[in-house]
Amino acid sequence: MIDARPFHFKHFSLFHHRSTMKVGTDAVLLGRWVEVNPADYVLDIGTGCGIMPLMLAQKGAGKIDAVDLDENSVEEAKINFSASQWSEKLSACQSDIRNYVTDAKYDLIISNPPFFINSYKSETERKNMARHTDDSLSFAELCAAASRLLKDDGRFAVVLPVTESAEFLKDAEKFGFYQSKRMEIIPVEGKEPNRVNLELKKMPSETILTTSFVIRGADGKFTAQYDDFLKDYYLG
């Protein structure tokens, strides 16, 4: 049975039962980590239920477009956007980003992209499209779209598994992107990072600002770092 109850945050609620990808830690941490300015025009590629646009709207981004290939995900994102206090600055459309046409150039492009390569697949085609690069959007295609749609001084932010991030960065450099920031995400204290948030720009940075983030302590409870990082979003 599908759980159709909304997911509640401090300043907004959203449905995610129809979307290919539900509210999850990867998207939430990326949405919280990325910095925005009031004048920023943002594009979210593969928005799912619209969680990251809602988080960035709460942080004060100026205008946010959301694109997804999946019709049900886009319809759910539209419902979530219209129910929020930031409905006037949020929009969602169904489109393949490889063919997405707009006159706009974006200050920030953000994505929780398909990232599994040649790995075990779900029986659900929609979920495979959302999670596997060989079913939908390759890293090179994502970087090509970002390069085409981003301002010269813009920022491109993604979350990826650490292993796949090395392949992504090779493709990103072919399209003129260079790391400026990264946050290595450790699932449990004492373990190796399994995810990484990356921010890239079209100009090389003298230094890459690198931070480390631990989700759970050895006791299995969320760390103080995690609680403090998300205190403006999660209900206490």
Side-chain angles (χ1 to χ4, degrees):
M1 180 179 293
I2 295 176
D3 186 350
R5 293 174 297 179
F7 193 105
H8 298 292
F9 289 84
K10 278 189 176 179
H11 299 288
F12 61 88
S13 297
L14 74 167
F15 292 98
H16 62 157
H17 63 283
R18 294 176 58 195
S19 299
T20 50
M21 298 299 290
K22 315 307 179 191
V23 172
T25 303
D26 289 351
V28 170
L29 289 181
L30 180 62
R32 168 62 183 84
W33 180 70
V34 170
E35 297 178 2
V36 294
N37 301 304
D40 279 347
Y41 192 7
V42 182
L43 174 66
D44 178 22
I45 299 175
T47 195
C49 60
I51 174 62
M52 289 196 294
L54 286 162
M55 293 182 72
L56 297 183
Q58 178 179 325
K59 292 174 77 169
K63 184 179 178 183
I64 308 164
D65 293 340
V67 174
D68 202 292
L69 190 62
D70 181 67
E71 181 179 5
N72 287 332
S73 297
V74 170
E75 290 304 313
E76 192 159 56
K78 288 180 177 180
I79 291 169
N80 293 329
F81 292 169
S82 65
S84 78
Q85 60 186 291
W86 310 287
S87 58
E88 293 185 358
K89 64 170 65 176
L90 295 163
S91 66
C93 74
Q94 182 185 5
S95 177
D96 185 330
I97 195 63
R98 292 166 291 195
N99 304 318
Y100 179 64
V101 177
T102 176
D103 293 330
K105 290 285 187 177
Y106 294 96
D107 299 287
L108 170 65
I109 294 176
I110 191 169
S111 183
N112 178 10
F115 50 57
F116 291 118
I117 303 172
N118 299 324
S119 60
Y120 177 78
K121 296 185 178 181
S122 163
E123 294 180 0
T124 305
E125 182 179 355
R126 289 175 63 225
K127 184 168 287 189
N128 287 335
M129 291 285 287
R131 295 178 66 87
H132 295 267
T133 61
D134 50 338
D135 282 298
S136 55
L137 188 67
S138 71
F139 290 156
E141 290 168 331
L142 174 61
C143 292
S147 179
R148 174 172 58 88
L149 296 166
L150 193 68
K151 291 181 179 178
D152 289 341
D153 60 350
R155 293 157 290 135
F156 176 30
V158 298
V159 55
L160 292 165
V162 170
T163 302
E164 280 78 1
S165 69
E167 189 67 29
F168 173 84
L169 287 169
K170 290 179 184 177
D171 285 328
E173 191 166 345
K174 294 175 184 176
F175 290 91
F177 284 113
Y178 304 90
Q179 283 190 84
S180 59
K181 291 172 58 179
R182 63 186 286 133
M183 183 171 80
E184 297 177 350
I185 302 167
I186 299 166
V188 180
E189 184 180 2
K191 301 290 186 180
E192 292 295 316
N194 68 339
R195 294 285 190 272
V196 59
N197 287 345
L198 300 172
E199 183 181 278
L200 303 98
K201 295 182 178 179
K202 292 184 176 181
M203 292 291 292
S205 299
E206 292 184 5
T207 59
I208 300 170
L209 178 60
T210 302
T211 56
S212 181
F213 186 87
V214 183
I215 296 176
R216 294 182 184 272
D219 59 2
K221 296 180 180 179
F222 288 121
T223 61
Q225 183 185 27
Y226 180 91
D227 289 338
D228 184 66
F229 194 62
L230 295 171
K231 63 185 178 183
D232 292 335
Y233 291 94
Y234 281 149
L235 295 169

